Amino acid sequence: MFSLTSKKNSADRYVIYEGNKVPIRITFDKVIKAIKLYDDKQLKENQKIYIMYHLFVKDAKKYKHSPRDVVNITMLIYDELNQDSENDGNDEELYNFFEDAERIYASFLMDYNIDLTQEIGKLGWNEFIALFNNLSEKTPIMQAIMYRSCSVPSGPENKEERRRIRKMKEFYELRSQKEARKKRILEEMEKEFM
């Protein structure tokens, strides 16, 4: 969570492990890489932990941490990231940092004149999320989120609006949404023919 009075907004922080400060760096690009890493089906859990450790621990090579230490420190980093995240309880995926990368990039440039490619390794995760959550409605990513989350009006008087919104929802839908829609259509067809 972002705070104007906390150093936890900074990309450079530390976790305390066995009474020692272990410096870490939590930038937006590293968190997005960690999200992708978490979803990787080809890597084993121990490989993911090792990669995460080296991704976030500053100067990781200088430490002589045992495999147990690496796991424990990575869990502390994971806890730190979970404290930063605000879960609104909405399970519907409204954006995806990979599929929406161009929209997010263009939105930051449009609203804040921030070139995210120039901020790799610099912009802290909390700062990034604070800016992301406050992008204006006119930005490409917020337009996509708006169409993904809006409901389709009902009633014969809304026929044209319904058609327009469905078209925009389809244009902006994420892969996961497209797969869910296809599955729903197949289930409806199976019910009708059974």
Side-chain angles (χ1 to χ4, degrees):
M1 174 184 272
F2 191 84
S3 168
L4 293 174
T5 59
S6 174
K7 289 189 176 195
K8 286 196 169 218
N9 298 326
S10 170
D12 293 317
R13 353 180 172 172
Y14 60 86
V15 292
I16 303 292
Y17 179 67
E18 294 185 346
N20 298 312
K21 289 182 180 180
V22 178
I24 59 174
R25 185 159 183 80
I26 299 181
T27 58
F28 81 96
D29 52 303
K30 290 181 180 202
V31 174
I32 292 171
K33 286 178 187 176
I35 292 168
K36 188 170 192 151
L37 177 68
Y38 180 79
D39 291 337
D40 191 315
K41 306 282 189 248
Q42 295 178 340
L43 291 173
K44 296 177 183 172
E45 289 305 309
N46 62 335
Q47 292 172 313
K48 292 178 185 181
I49 288 170
Y50 183 79
I51 293 169
M52 281 216 18
Y53 170 83
H54 283 276
L55 187 61
F56 290 109
V57 173
K58 288 177 76 174
D59 301 320
K61 291 181 180 176
K62 81 175 189 179
Y63 295 101
K64 303 285 186 224
H65 289 131
S66 69
R68 181 180 68 76
D69 295 335
V70 168
V71 169
N72 290 333
I73 292 168
T74 303
M75 298 324 289
L76 290 171
I77 294 167
Y78 183 78
D79 290 343
E80 186 84 8
L81 289 171
N82 280 338
Q83 287 175 5
D84 291 350
S85 300
E86 294 179 24
N87 187 351
D88 61 3
N90 186 359
D91 290 338
E92 183 182 6
E93 185 179 25
L94 296 178
Y95 60 89
N96 181 294
F97 288 118
F98 309 102
E99 289 182 54
D100 288 322
E102 288 181 10
R103 288 185 181 100
I104 294 168
Y105 175 81
S107 297
F108 271 69
L109 206 52
M110 184 175 167
D111 261 11
Y112 307 122
N113 201 27
I114 294 174
D115 181 340
L116 288 175
T117 62
Q118 300 300 311
E119 296 300 318
I120 292 173
K122 299 178 199 171
L123 183 64
W125 175 247
N126 284 355
E127 297 160 323
F128 171 82
I129 285 297
L131 294 170
F132 180 84
N133 287 337
N134 290 287
L135 286 164
S136 67
E137 292 176 2
K138 66 183 187 264
T139 58
I141 188 61
M142 289 303 161
Q143 285 290 303
I145 289 171
M146 188 265 302
Y147 280 112
R148 289 170 186 161
S149 63
C150 76
S151 57
V152 179
S154 60
E157 69 278 2
N158 295 318
K159 183 179 179 183
E160 288 303 314
E161 182 66 1
R162 198 169 43 248
R163 181 179 293 132
R164 185 186 74 76
I165 289 178
R166 282 189 178 131
K167 186 177 180 180
M168 296 308 285
K169 279 182 160 300
E170 197 170 311
F171 176 77
Y172 284 115
E173 79 185 336
L174 296 166
R175 279 187 216 110
S176 62
Q177 293 169 323
K178 186 177 280 189
E179 289 169 13
R181 182 172 52 87
K182 286 179 181 178
K183 183 179 177 184
R184 209 172 37 252
I185 291 169
L186 283 173
E187 288 171 355
E188 288 171 10
M189 289 174 71
E190 286 174 355
K191 284 180 188 176
E192 204 166 301
F193 292 111
M194 295 203 151

